[in-house]
Amino acid sequence: MERPVRLAILLLILLLYVPLVRQGRGVSPQREPAAFFHYSSGLAVIRVVGPGIQDRIYRIHDGATVEAVINMTIGPGNRAGWPKEALHRRLESGDILKIVRKENQHTDINVKKMGARERMVLGILLDPDRMNQADWDSLPGIGPKLAERIVHDRQLNGDFGSLEGVKRVSGIGDGKISMINKFFLYK
């Protein structure tokens, strides 16, 4: 009777100790690779690129400024020659911040949007009123012809307002909507 009790206690200690050791070494099973963080309220997922800057995905506070992200990624420093209006721009999920330092102490800062394919991989929800033809074409079940019809309809008739509004396009029904709705902001 004494041996099974010792064995049970040893097993209980191991069950408690192994997760603590794994968590201490940074291999906790709850963690996800940075490229696959999912969008959550209050946070934005952006990409920072540029010559001499490692192309990386960052998770920042929603509405953080370009300057704050630059300070976080390449460090604080002399910003003489940097466009002040660009430094104060607020970033949102799906933005790509490109920083190009010129030889004449001038720096160009550009902000553009990620394509739908990259946004879907990163778990950033799409807006049906901001997508171009290539974005629609990258969705499962939407080919180039249907993508063209969707964009053409929006140009003629105005914003969809939600994913449900896309059903006004010929070739889009409940089946297509249910296939792609997990990628969209508005259901």
Side-chain angles (χ1 to χ4, degrees):
M1 187 66 124
E2 187 175 301
R3 187 171 187 186
V5 171
R6 275 194 226 165
L7 189 57
I9 291 172
L10 182 60
L11 186 58
L12 182 62
I13 291 171
L14 281 174
L15 286 173
L16 295 174
Y17 181 73
V18 170
L20 290 174
V21 169
R22 287 189 71 195
Q23 192 171 23
R25 292 189 181 161
V27 291
S28 173
Q30 292 86 5
R31 293 187 182 151
E32 296 180 68
F36 296 98
F37 280 128
H38 296 285
Y39 177 82
S40 63
S41 180
L43 296 173
V45 179
I46 63 164
R47 186 158 47 102
V48 179
V49 299
I53 299 171
Q54 193 168 14
D55 187 342
R56 287 196 175 160
I57 302 292
Y58 291 91
R59 192 171 175 180
I60 63 170
H61 289 285
D62 197 20
T65 64
V66 167
E67 184 174 25
V69 171
I70 289 171
N71 288 339
M72 177 185 76
T73 57
I74 60 177
N78 183 6
R79 301 287 183 247
W82 293 53
K84 296 288 183 212
E85 64 281 352
L87 289 172
H88 298 296
R89 179 177 175 170
R90 298 206 176 275
L91 296 170
E92 55 187 46
S93 254
D95 283 344
I96 300 173
L97 173 61
K98 184 174 183 180
I99 304 162
V100 182
R101 293 183 222 165
K102 307 275 180 146
E103 288 181 28
N104 62 356
Q105 299 298 329
H106 177 75
T107 301
D108 285 339
I109 297 174
N110 300 308
V111 178
K112 65 178 190 174
K113 291 290 182 194
M114 294 174 187
R117 187 177 310 272
E118 185 175 10
R119 292 171 67 96
M120 288 185 298
V121 167
L122 294 172
I124 302 168
L125 299 175
L126 303 172
D127 182 343
D129 296 325
R130 292 185 174 180
M131 295 173 60
N132 62 32
Q133 187 172 336
D135 290 337
W136 283 104
D137 187 25
S138 66
L139 290 169
I142 309 285
K145 293 287 185 190
L146 186 50
E148 183 179 0
R149 282 201 311 270
I150 293 169
V151 171
H152 184 69
D153 179 278
R154 189 179 67 221
Q155 290 169 346
L156 288 177
N157 302 311
D159 287 350
F160 298 114
S162 70
L163 186 57
E164 284 294 314
V166 181
K167 288 201 282 189
R168 72 184 188 212
V169 178
S170 172
I172 299 284
D174 289 333
K176 290 255 194 251
I177 296 295
S178 68
M179 259 174 52
I180 62 174
N181 71 356
K182 66 183 173 185
F183 302 116
F184 285 87
L185 266 168
Y186 317 113
K187 303 297 185 207

